[in-house]
Short mmCIF file of all heavy atoms in Angstrom, two decimals:
data_model
loop_
_atom_site.label_atom_id
_atom_site.label_comp_id
_atom_site.label_asym_id
_atom_site.label_seq_id
_atom_site.Cartn_x
_atom_site.Cartn_y
_atom_site.Cartn_z
N ASN A 25 14.63 2.34 -3.40
CA ASN A 25 15.32 2.32 -2.08
C ASN A 25 14.44 1.73 -0.98
O ASN A 25 14.94 1.01 -0.15
CB ASN A 25 15.71 3.81 -1.73
CG ASN A 25 16.73 4.37 -2.66
OD1 ASN A 25 17.43 3.68 -3.31
ND2 ASN A 25 16.83 5.68 -2.65
N ASP A 26 13.18 2.05 -1.00
CA ASP A 26 12.24 1.49 -0.04
C ASP A 26 12.14 -0.02 -0.19
O ASP A 26 12.18 -0.79 0.77
CB ASP A 26 10.85 2.08 -0.18
CG ASP A 26 10.76 3.55 0.23
OD1 ASP A 26 11.75 4.02 0.94
OD2 ASP A 26 9.80 4.23 -0.20
N LEU A 27 12.03 -0.50 -1.46
CA LEU A 27 11.94 -1.95 -1.71
C LEU A 27 13.21 -2.68 -1.31
O LEU A 27 13.12 -3.84 -0.84
CB LEU A 27 11.61 -2.22 -3.17
CG LEU A 27 10.23 -1.75 -3.67
CD1 LEU A 27 10.11 -1.75 -5.15
CD2 LEU A 27 9.12 -2.58 -2.99
N LEU A 28 14.37 -2.06 -1.48
CA LEU A 28 15.62 -2.63 -0.99
C LEU A 28 15.57 -2.85 0.56
O LEU A 28 15.95 -3.89 1.07
CB LEU A 28 16.78 -1.72 -1.38
CG LEU A 28 17.39 -1.95 -2.75
CD1 LEU A 28 18.33 -0.82 -3.12
CD2 LEU A 28 18.14 -3.32 -2.87
N LYS A 29 15.17 -1.77 1.22
CA LYS A 29 15.06 -1.84 2.73
C LYS A 29 14.11 -2.98 3.15
O LYS A 29 14.35 -3.60 4.18
CB LYS A 29 14.61 -0.49 3.26
CG LYS A 29 15.70 0.58 3.18
CD LYS A 29 15.18 1.91 3.72
CE LYS A 29 16.11 3.00 3.37
NZ LYS A 29 15.52 4.32 3.66
N GLN A 30 13.01 -3.09 2.41
CA GLN A 30 12.04 -4.13 2.81
C GLN A 30 12.43 -5.56 2.38
O GLN A 30 11.80 -6.51 2.74
CB GLN A 30 10.67 -3.76 2.16
CG GLN A 30 9.97 -2.62 2.77
CD GLN A 30 8.64 -2.33 2.10
OE1 GLN A 30 8.54 -1.93 0.96
NE2 GLN A 30 7.55 -2.66 2.79
N GLY A 31 13.43 -5.63 1.57
CA GLY A 31 13.96 -6.95 1.13
C GLY A 31 13.22 -7.54 -0.13
O GLY A 31 13.35 -8.72 -0.42
N PHE A 32 12.46 -6.70 -0.82
CA PHE A 32 11.73 -7.22 -2.00
C PHE A 32 12.57 -7.20 -3.26
O PHE A 32 12.20 -7.90 -4.21
CB PHE A 32 10.46 -6.34 -2.25
CG PHE A 32 9.40 -6.52 -1.21
CD1 PHE A 32 9.01 -5.49 -0.38
CD2 PHE A 32 8.85 -7.75 -0.98
CE1 PHE A 32 8.05 -5.62 0.59
CE2 PHE A 32 7.83 -7.93 -0.02
CZ PHE A 32 7.46 -6.85 0.78
N VAL A 33 13.68 -6.47 -3.32
CA VAL A 33 14.53 -6.44 -4.45
C VAL A 33 15.95 -6.51 -4.03
O VAL A 33 16.28 -6.28 -2.83
CB VAL A 33 14.37 -5.14 -5.35
CG1 VAL A 33 13.01 -5.06 -5.95
CG2 VAL A 33 14.72 -3.88 -4.55
N THR A 34 16.82 -6.94 -4.93
CA THR A 34 18.25 -6.95 -4.68
C THR A 34 18.93 -6.09 -5.79
O THR A 34 18.33 -5.87 -6.85
CB THR A 34 18.82 -8.40 -4.83
OG1 THR A 34 18.52 -8.91 -6.13
CG2 THR A 34 18.20 -9.32 -3.77
N SER A 35 20.17 -5.63 -5.45
CA SER A 35 20.86 -4.89 -6.47
C SER A 35 22.14 -5.59 -6.82
O SER A 35 22.69 -6.31 -6.03
CB SER A 35 21.18 -3.48 -5.99
OG SER A 35 22.08 -3.51 -4.96
N SER A 36 22.55 -5.36 -8.06
CA SER A 36 23.85 -5.96 -8.50
C SER A 36 24.52 -4.93 -9.38
O SER A 36 23.91 -4.04 -9.92
CB SER A 36 23.63 -7.29 -9.28
OG SER A 36 22.76 -7.09 -10.37
N ASP A 37 25.84 -5.09 -9.57
CA ASP A 37 26.62 -4.21 -10.38
C ASP A 37 26.19 -4.36 -11.86
O ASP A 37 25.79 -5.45 -12.33
CB ASP A 37 28.11 -4.53 -10.27
CG ASP A 37 28.69 -4.18 -8.90
OD1 ASP A 37 28.09 -3.30 -8.21
OD2 ASP A 37 29.73 -4.77 -8.52
N ASN A 38 26.27 -3.28 -12.54
CA ASN A 38 25.90 -3.18 -13.98
C ASN A 38 27.23 -3.03 -14.74
O ASN A 38 27.88 -1.90 -14.65
CB ASN A 38 24.97 -2.04 -14.20
CG ASN A 38 24.56 -1.88 -15.63
OD1 ASN A 38 25.07 -2.51 -16.55
ND2 ASN A 38 23.58 -1.05 -15.84
N ILE A 39 27.66 -3.98 -15.49
CA ILE A 39 28.91 -3.87 -16.19
C ILE A 39 28.93 -2.80 -17.24
O ILE A 39 29.93 -2.30 -17.67
CB ILE A 39 29.42 -5.23 -16.79
CG1 ILE A 39 28.38 -5.78 -17.81
CG2 ILE A 39 29.61 -6.25 -15.68
CD1 ILE A 39 28.89 -6.98 -18.57
N ASP A 40 27.68 -2.45 -17.72
CA ASP A 40 27.57 -1.44 -18.76
C ASP A 40 27.55 0.00 -18.21
O ASP A 40 27.73 0.94 -18.98
CB ASP A 40 26.32 -1.70 -19.55
CG ASP A 40 26.41 -2.99 -20.40
OD1 ASP A 40 27.50 -3.30 -20.86
OD2 ASP A 40 25.33 -3.65 -20.50
N HIS A 41 27.27 0.10 -16.97
CA HIS A 41 27.17 1.51 -16.36
C HIS A 41 27.39 1.42 -14.86
O HIS A 41 26.50 0.95 -14.12
CB HIS A 41 25.78 2.05 -16.67
CG HIS A 41 25.67 3.53 -16.48
ND1 HIS A 41 25.77 4.13 -15.22
CD2 HIS A 41 25.58 4.52 -17.35
CE1 HIS A 41 25.64 5.43 -15.33
NE2 HIS A 41 25.53 5.71 -16.67
N LYS A 42 28.56 1.79 -14.42
CA LYS A 42 28.95 1.65 -13.02
C LYS A 42 28.06 2.36 -12.04
O LYS A 42 27.85 1.94 -10.92
CB LYS A 42 30.42 2.14 -12.77
CG LYS A 42 31.42 1.23 -13.42
CD LYS A 42 32.78 1.70 -13.18
CE LYS A 42 33.80 0.76 -13.83
NZ LYS A 42 35.19 1.08 -13.51
N ARG A 43 27.43 3.50 -12.44
CA ARG A 43 26.57 4.31 -11.55
C ARG A 43 25.11 3.93 -11.64
O ARG A 43 24.30 4.56 -10.99
CB ARG A 43 26.81 5.77 -11.80
CG ARG A 43 28.14 6.25 -11.42
CD ARG A 43 28.44 7.65 -11.67
NE ARG A 43 27.28 8.50 -11.65
CZ ARG A 43 27.21 9.75 -11.86
NH1 ARG A 43 28.35 10.48 -12.11
NH2 ARG A 43 26.11 10.47 -11.82
N ALA A 44 24.77 2.91 -12.45
CA ALA A 44 23.37 2.52 -12.57
C ALA A 44 23.25 1.02 -12.28
O ALA A 44 23.27 0.18 -13.18
CB ALA A 44 22.88 2.81 -13.99
N PRO A 45 23.12 0.70 -10.99
CA PRO A 45 23.00 -0.71 -10.62
C PRO A 45 21.74 -1.37 -11.22
O PRO A 45 20.79 -0.70 -11.60
CB PRO A 45 22.95 -0.75 -9.12
CG PRO A 45 22.55 0.62 -8.73
CD PRO A 45 22.99 1.55 -9.78
N LEU A 46 21.76 -2.68 -11.27
CA LEU A 46 20.66 -3.43 -11.79
C LEU A 46 19.85 -3.97 -10.56
O LEU A 46 20.40 -4.36 -9.56
CB LEU A 46 21.08 -4.63 -12.59
CG LEU A 46 21.77 -4.27 -13.94
CD1 LEU A 46 22.56 -5.48 -14.52
CD2 LEU A 46 20.78 -3.76 -14.93
N PHE A 47 18.52 -3.99 -10.71
CA PHE A 47 17.63 -4.42 -9.68
C PHE A 47 16.84 -5.59 -10.14
O PHE A 47 16.32 -5.67 -11.26
CB PHE A 47 16.70 -3.27 -9.19
CG PHE A 47 17.49 -2.13 -8.62
CD1 PHE A 47 17.87 -1.10 -9.35
CD2 PHE A 47 17.89 -2.20 -7.29
CE1 PHE A 47 18.62 -0.03 -8.85
CE2 PHE A 47 18.66 -1.17 -6.74
CZ PHE A 47 19.06 -0.04 -7.52
N ASN A 48 16.72 -6.58 -9.23
CA ASN A 48 15.99 -7.80 -9.50
C ASN A 48 15.07 -8.13 -8.31
O ASN A 48 15.34 -7.68 -7.22
CB ASN A 48 16.91 -8.94 -9.82
CG ASN A 48 16.28 -10.01 -10.61
OD1 ASN A 48 15.16 -9.91 -11.08
ND2 ASN A 48 17.01 -11.12 -10.89
N LEU A 49 14.09 -8.97 -8.52
CA LEU A 49 13.24 -9.41 -7.41
C LEU A 49 14.08 -10.37 -6.54
O LEU A 49 14.78 -11.20 -7.03
CB LEU A 49 12.03 -10.16 -7.88
CG LEU A 49 11.03 -9.34 -8.70
CD1 LEU A 49 9.88 -10.28 -9.14
CD2 LEU A 49 10.52 -8.10 -8.02
N SER A 50 13.95 -10.18 -5.25
CA SER A 50 14.56 -11.12 -4.30
C SER A 50 13.63 -12.32 -4.19
O SER A 50 12.52 -12.30 -4.75
CB SER A 50 14.66 -10.48 -2.91
OG SER A 50 13.41 -10.18 -2.41
N ASP A 51 14.02 -13.33 -3.45
CA ASP A 51 13.10 -14.45 -3.24
C ASP A 51 11.81 -14.05 -2.58
O ASP A 51 10.69 -14.37 -2.94
CB ASP A 51 13.76 -15.56 -2.34
CG ASP A 51 14.88 -16.30 -3.08
OD1 ASP A 51 14.94 -16.20 -4.32
OD2 ASP A 51 15.69 -16.93 -2.37
N GLN A 52 11.95 -13.08 -1.59
CA GLN A 52 10.75 -12.51 -0.90
C GLN A 52 9.90 -11.74 -1.94
O GLN A 52 8.67 -11.82 -1.94
CB GLN A 52 11.20 -11.57 0.19
CG GLN A 52 10.08 -10.94 0.95
CD GLN A 52 10.54 -9.93 2.00
OE1 GLN A 52 11.78 -9.76 2.25
NE2 GLN A 52 9.65 -9.26 2.64
N GLY A 53 10.56 -10.98 -2.83
CA GLY A 53 9.85 -10.23 -3.86
C GLY A 53 9.05 -11.15 -4.79
O GLY A 53 7.93 -10.85 -5.19
N GLU A 54 9.70 -12.21 -5.18
CA GLU A 54 9.05 -13.18 -6.07
C GLU A 54 7.84 -13.83 -5.38
O GLU A 54 6.78 -14.02 -6.02
CB GLU A 54 10.04 -14.32 -6.51
CG GLU A 54 11.05 -13.83 -7.54
CD GLU A 54 12.03 -14.91 -7.96
OE1 GLU A 54 11.83 -16.05 -7.56
OE2 GLU A 54 12.97 -14.57 -8.67
N GLN A 55 7.98 -14.17 -4.15
CA GLN A 55 6.83 -14.79 -3.40
C GLN A 55 5.71 -13.81 -3.24
O GLN A 55 4.54 -14.20 -3.47
CB GLN A 55 7.35 -15.21 -1.99
CG GLN A 55 8.31 -16.41 -2.04
CD GLN A 55 8.92 -16.65 -0.68
OE1 GLN A 55 8.56 -16.08 0.36
NE2 GLN A 55 9.97 -17.49 -0.64
N VAL A 56 5.96 -12.54 -2.93
CA VAL A 56 4.90 -11.56 -2.76
C VAL A 56 4.28 -11.24 -4.09
O VAL A 56 3.06 -11.09 -4.18
CB VAL A 56 5.38 -10.32 -2.00
CG1 VAL A 56 6.10 -9.34 -2.90
CG2 VAL A 56 4.19 -9.61 -1.34
N MET A 57 5.04 -11.23 -5.19
CA MET A 57 4.47 -10.94 -6.51
C MET A 57 3.53 -12.08 -6.91
O MET A 57 2.49 -11.83 -7.49
CB MET A 57 5.58 -10.78 -7.54
CG MET A 57 6.20 -9.37 -7.55
SD MET A 57 5.04 -8.02 -7.81
CE MET A 57 4.40 -8.39 -9.43
N ALA A 58 3.88 -13.37 -6.57
CA ALA A 58 2.98 -14.43 -6.89
C ALA A 58 1.72 -14.28 -6.17
O ALA A 58 0.58 -14.55 -6.71
CB ALA A 58 3.70 -15.76 -6.55
N LYS A 59 1.71 -13.89 -4.88
CA LYS A 59 0.47 -13.71 -4.13
C LYS A 59 -0.31 -12.53 -4.66
O LYS A 59 -1.54 -12.61 -4.75
CB LYS A 59 0.83 -13.46 -2.67
CG LYS A 59 1.40 -14.72 -1.99
CD LYS A 59 1.84 -14.43 -0.59
CE LYS A 59 2.51 -15.65 0.06
NZ LYS A 59 3.05 -15.34 1.34
N ILE A 60 0.36 -11.43 -5.00
CA ILE A 60 -0.38 -10.26 -5.50
C ILE A 60 -0.95 -10.60 -6.86
O ILE A 60 -2.07 -10.21 -7.19
CB ILE A 60 0.59 -9.07 -5.62
CG1 ILE A 60 0.89 -8.55 -4.20
CG2 ILE A 60 -0.02 -7.91 -6.42
CD1 ILE A 60 1.98 -7.44 -4.12
N ASN A 61 -0.22 -11.30 -7.74
CA ASN A 61 -0.77 -11.67 -9.01
C ASN A 61 -2.00 -12.55 -8.91
O ASN A 61 -2.93 -12.40 -9.66
CB ASN A 61 0.33 -12.32 -9.87
CG ASN A 61 1.38 -11.32 -10.37
OD1 ASN A 61 1.11 -10.21 -10.46
ND2 ASN A 61 2.57 -11.88 -10.68
N ALA A 62 -2.01 -13.44 -7.95
CA ALA A 62 -3.16 -14.24 -7.70
C ALA A 62 -4.35 -13.40 -7.25
O ALA A 62 -5.48 -13.57 -7.74
CB ALA A 62 -2.87 -15.34 -6.66
N ALA A 63 -4.11 -12.46 -6.37
CA ALA A 63 -5.19 -11.54 -5.87
C ALA A 63 -5.69 -10.70 -7.04
O ALA A 63 -6.89 -10.46 -7.22
CB ALA A 63 -4.74 -10.76 -4.73
N GLN A 64 -4.76 -10.19 -7.86
CA GLN A 64 -5.16 -9.36 -8.98
C GLN A 64 -5.92 -10.15 -10.02
O GLN A 64 -6.89 -9.65 -10.63
CB GLN A 64 -3.90 -8.70 -9.65
CG GLN A 64 -4.21 -7.71 -10.69
CD GLN A 64 -4.39 -8.25 -12.08
OE1 GLN A 64 -4.11 -9.40 -12.41
NE2 GLN A 64 -4.93 -7.39 -12.97
N SER A 65 -5.55 -11.43 -10.25
CA SER A 65 -6.28 -12.27 -11.17
C SER A 65 -7.73 -12.42 -10.75
O SER A 65 -8.67 -12.32 -11.59
CB SER A 65 -5.62 -13.65 -11.27
OG SER A 65 -4.36 -13.51 -11.90
N GLU A 66 -7.96 -12.66 -9.51
CA GLU A 66 -9.32 -12.81 -8.96
C GLU A 66 -10.14 -11.53 -9.20
O GLU A 66 -11.24 -11.57 -9.62
CB GLU A 66 -9.27 -13.22 -7.52
CG GLU A 66 -10.56 -13.50 -6.93
CD GLU A 66 -10.43 -13.98 -5.41
OE1 GLU A 66 -9.56 -14.84 -5.18
OE2 GLU A 66 -11.20 -13.49 -4.63
N TRP A 67 -9.51 -10.44 -8.85
CA TRP A 67 -10.15 -9.09 -8.97
C TRP A 67 -10.47 -8.74 -10.46
O TRP A 67 -11.58 -8.43 -10.79
CB TRP A 67 -9.23 -8.07 -8.37
CG TRP A 67 -9.66 -6.62 -8.59
CD1 TRP A 67 -10.60 -5.97 -7.89
CD2 TRP A 67 -9.15 -5.72 -9.57
NE1 TRP A 67 -10.78 -4.66 -8.35
CE2 TRP A 67 -9.91 -4.52 -9.41
CE3 TRP A 67 -8.22 -5.80 -10.56
CZ2 TRP A 67 -9.66 -3.41 -10.21
CZ3 TRP A 67 -7.98 -4.70 -11.37
CH2 TRP A 67 -8.69 -3.50 -11.20
N ILE A 68 -9.49 -8.93 -11.33
CA ILE A 68 -9.67 -8.56 -12.73
C ILE A 68 -10.67 -9.54 -13.45
O ILE A 68 -11.42 -9.09 -14.29
CB ILE A 68 -8.33 -8.51 -13.52
CG1 ILE A 68 -8.48 -7.60 -14.76
CG2 ILE A 68 -7.80 -9.86 -13.94
CD1 ILE A 68 -8.68 -6.13 -14.50
#
């Protein structure tokens, strides 16, 4: 719910289960994950 409000994920209908939507990374989510993955790579 917080990630939806921040625009990091999007939701879509789930044809297999009406009450359980599917969540995916938004464009903003993909961009931030790329930056976090780069920072994590340096750290690890």
Side-chain angles (χ1 to χ4, degrees):
N25 292 343
D26 292 342
L27 292 170
L28 274 167
K29 288 177 191 170
Q30 289 181 289
F32 291 117
V33 296
T34 60
S35 68
S36 60
D37 291 337
N38 181 350
I39 61 170
D40 294 325
H41 195 290
K42 290 183 182 185
R43 292 180 27 181
L46 294 166
F47 296 94
N48 202 5
L49 297 180
S50 66
D51 289 342
Q52 179 184 356
E54 287 179 6
Q55 291 170 9
V56 81
M57 280 302 297
K59 292 174 185 176
I60 290 172
N61 287 337
Q64 189 273 348
S65 294
E66 187 176 313
W67 172 80
I68 202 70

